[in-house]
Amino acid sequence: MTLSFEQRNNFQVVVVGHGPTGAIATSLLGHANIRTLAIDRQRDVYDKPRAIAIDHEILRLLDNVGAAERVLPYIAPFPASQHFGAQGQLIRRIDMVPEPYPLGYTPSMVFTQPPVEAALRAHAAAYDSVEVELGTELMGFDQSPDYVTLHLRDDKEATHSVTADYMIACDGASSGTRQALGIAFEDLIFDEPWLVIDLQVNGAALSKLPETAAQFCDPSRPTSFIIGPGNHRRFEIMLLPGEDPREMEEPAQVWRLLARWITPNDATLWRAASYRFHALVAREWRQGRVFLAGDAAHQQPPFIGQGMCQGIRDVANLVWKLDRVLQSQSGVGLLDTYAEERIEHVRELTTRIKTIGRVICERDPVAAEARDTRILSEGGGNPRTVTRQEIVPPLQKGLLAFPLQPAHGTLFPQPWIKTAAGRRLLDTAAGTGWRLVLDARNAPDLTADVRANLTRLGMRLIRVGSADTADQAGNDTVAEEDGVLAGWYERHSCRAAIVRPDHYVFGVVNDASALGKMLSELSTRLQ
């Protein structure tokens, strides 16, 4: 059937699935004034917690779209996780990087999902360019060279179809979209049964529990303990061979497992759910005008709390590219870099998480003792601290300047900036999008060709210096408080950075000639 002009491309993007990844995708699209429809077959937010951790990269993105204030009441710092060996001895810590924080926010955080998800949905629905249809299920879709047709059914059995330029499937681990596209998972070989238990602990009983997050690497029963906001506490307990996952969810079994720490008189059981922790990455993330994101595209063990973060990185990477293509600023080839960048990043991070998980899940007592000895020897006989931030890799492929340098593909810092109105984070003080950020202490001269390229690319020019250098410079210079960026420039031996809209560094340079060449390269690749 040939569609009329009025029927074609009712929306520029349809987001299927309105969980955290889908809701943030919708906000990013709304923030870019992209005509968007978001659907979810469930009307209400699931009333129990599932994801529990986010990081500073994600909060930065939420702040960019004005959603951070909505979720901050339900977020708390993620304390260090102490890992205890087979004999109960401390063998290492996994913590966050110290202050001054590189992105301005606490680097690792925990949150309570139901109110955060509700806040994200409310924020997404507030954009004029966004429509949200809850209680609406995707029954099927068809693609043509020019659009996607989505066939929808609401919870009153009424059906209708819409068209869109593109579709983003954030429809979860059992994604019907992925199955309809016939996309298989690459299995990174991790398959372990665990029981996840969430508690609301009575105030008087909090002292019975560990003071920090903990990983009990006990071969008889590996167990994780996480401190959530307020009185929310989570245990993740490995199930043993022969234990029935459904039976282990029963309250009597749950309290038996928790008896070492806490009793039913001390807390309210909020949720107990058994899972198999997997390490899976979809072999394709795009077919035509349909993209996979979040759990539809990947699943990883939870050991450093990156599951939801990965999904939000997906949509942050994709949406700015869709925006450029929809505005005819870039060709559709730019969209190929989404899968190129994200598959490699997810595969590498999942592999690192899997390695941590293998260490934690060791069930052989002899091997567990050898593990403890090895880990302690890595710290010279003492428990060493590894930061969660160093576990997360940079981008290695895609829209980056080559040959790669250590700064390329890393997250660009966000220092606190001094302004007449008080301290502000760099993104708030100087703006986002494509940016050329210069070290005001010794910035390369900007030639006429460089300035022309900045205009052609719509790239924002920002100089960052100390209070002294800012006072002596022009209106495009801002003063940072703590030397975060100054130290970053020195570590990477550079004087200028080209930063992408998702805050990843395209490339760094030291002089005007190299800057001119890099901007020309970027202009060619974007066009």
Side-chain angles (χ1 to χ4, degrees), residues 154-280:
D154 68 21
D155 50 11
K156 298 179 181 178
E157 302 299 320
T159 61
H160 67 291
S161 297
V162 299
T163 57
D165 294 305
Y166 295 99
M167 167 180 155
I168 306 175
C170 304
D171 51 347
S174 59
S175 169
T177 305
R178 186 188 64 245
Q179 294 177 45
L181 293 172
I183 295 174
F185 276 126
E186 175 188 359
D187 191 342
L188 301 183
I189 317 301
F190 190 94
D191 183 22
E192 299 288 355
W194 285 68
L195 180 68
V196 178
I197 302 165
D198 288 282
L199 303 167
Q200 292 285 3
V201 181
N202 302 336
L206 288 172
S207 61
K208 293 184 176 183
L209 298 172
E211 294 182 356
T212 71
Q215 186 66 62
F216 300 98
C217 305
D218 180 351
S220 67
R221 178 82 78 174
T223 299
S224 302
F225 171 72
I226 301 169
I227 299 176
N231 288 16
H232 179 193
R233 299 294 183 269
R234 170 172 289 185
F235 285 88
E236 296 172 348
I237 301 176
M238 190 175 182
L239 298 181
L240 305 181
E243 292 180 334
D244 179 82
R246 298 282 82 84
E247 181 183 336
M248 298 304 288
E249 295 174 351
E250 294 298 320
Q253 295 288 1
V254 170
W255 290 114
R256 178 180 66 82
L257 293 174
L258 296 178
R260 170 181 171 185
W261 296 280
I262 200 166
T263 73
N265 294 326
D266 296 323
T268 300
L269 178 59
W270 194 359
R271 181 186 76 136
S274 57
Y275 291 92
R276 296 198 75 89
F277 292 164
H278 296 297
L280 305 171

Side-chain angles (χ1 to χ4, degrees), residues 201-461:
V201 181
N202 302 336
L206 288 172
S207 61
K208 293 184 176 183
L209 298 172
E211 294 182 356
T212 71
Q215 186 66 62
F216 300 98
C217 305
D218 180 351
S220 67
R221 178 82 78 174
T223 299
S224 302
F225 171 72
I226 301 169
I227 299 176
N231 288 16
H232 179 193
R233 299 294 183 269
R234 170 172 289 185
F235 285 88
E236 296 172 348
I237 301 176
M238 190 175 182
L239 298 181
L240 305 181
E243 292 180 334
D244 179 82
R246 298 282 82 84
E247 181 183 336
M248 298 304 288
E249 295 174 351
E250 294 298 320
Q253 295 288 1
V254 170
W255 290 114
R256 178 180 66 82
L257 293 174
L258 296 178
R260 170 181 171 185
W261 296 280
I262 200 166
T263 73
N265 294 326
D266 296 323
T268 300
L269 178 59
W270 194 359
R271 181 186 76 136
S274 57
Y275 291 92
R276 296 198 75 89
F277 292 164
H278 296 297
L280 305 171
V281 181
R283 295 187 183 278
E284 297 177 76
W285 289 36
R286 174 192 181 191
Q287 280 192 16
R289 294 176 173 269
V290 179
F291 300 85
L292 302 181
D295 288 352
H298 48 77
Q299 297 160 45
Q300 53 270 309
F303 297 112
I304 63 167
Q306 284 291 304
M308 194 180 87
C309 296
Q310 290 281 61
I312 296 168
R313 290 189 189 102
D314 296 342
V315 295
N317 183 296
L318 177 58
V319 166
W320 72 262
K321 296 172 182 176
L322 282 173
D323 185 28
R324 287 192 65 90
V325 171
L326 288 167
Q327 293 191 59
S328 300
Q329 295 174 335
S330 291
V332 295
L334 177 64
L335 301 177
D336 292 334
T337 65
Y338 166 62
E340 182 182 13
E341 293 173 0
R342 292 300 303 140
I343 286 178
E344 184 70 17
H345 189 269
V346 167
R347 186 183 289 118
E348 175 62 25
L349 180 52
T350 303
T351 298
R352 296 181 184 190
I353 294 170
K354 185 185 76 170
T355 300
I356 294 171
R358 288 286 183 219
V359 168
I360 290 168
C361 294
E362 180 57 65
R363 296 288 325 289
D364 181 89
V366 175
E369 288 197 20
R371 170 204 64 197
D372 299 344
T373 299
R374 174 179 56 79
I375 290 175
L376 283 168
S377 69
E378 291 170 355
N382 296 308
R384 70 186 185 101
T385 298
V386 178
T387 68
R388 296 183 185 99
Q389 286 64 52
E390 70 188 81
I391 297 170
V392 179
L395 295 179
Q396 295 287 333
K397 293 184 176 180
L399 189 65
L400 304 172
F402 290 90
L404 285 179
Q405 298 182 31
H408 296 186
T410 64
L411 280 169
F412 190 69
Q414 180 179 214
W416 284 96
I417 300 298
K418 298 177 181 178
T419 74
R423 67 200 299 259
R424 297 285 188 274
L425 286 165
L426 178 63
D427 293 351
T428 304
T432 58
W434 278 100
R435 288 148 284 169
L436 171 62
V437 189
L438 306 178
D439 183 351
R441 298 170 302 174
N442 189 24
D445 294 330
L446 301 185
T447 65
D449 285 346
V450 164
R451 291 187 178 276
N453 259 324
L454 293 179
T455 301
R456 187 177 304 112
L457 289 163
M459 186 174 289
R460 192 182 302 273
L461 175 64

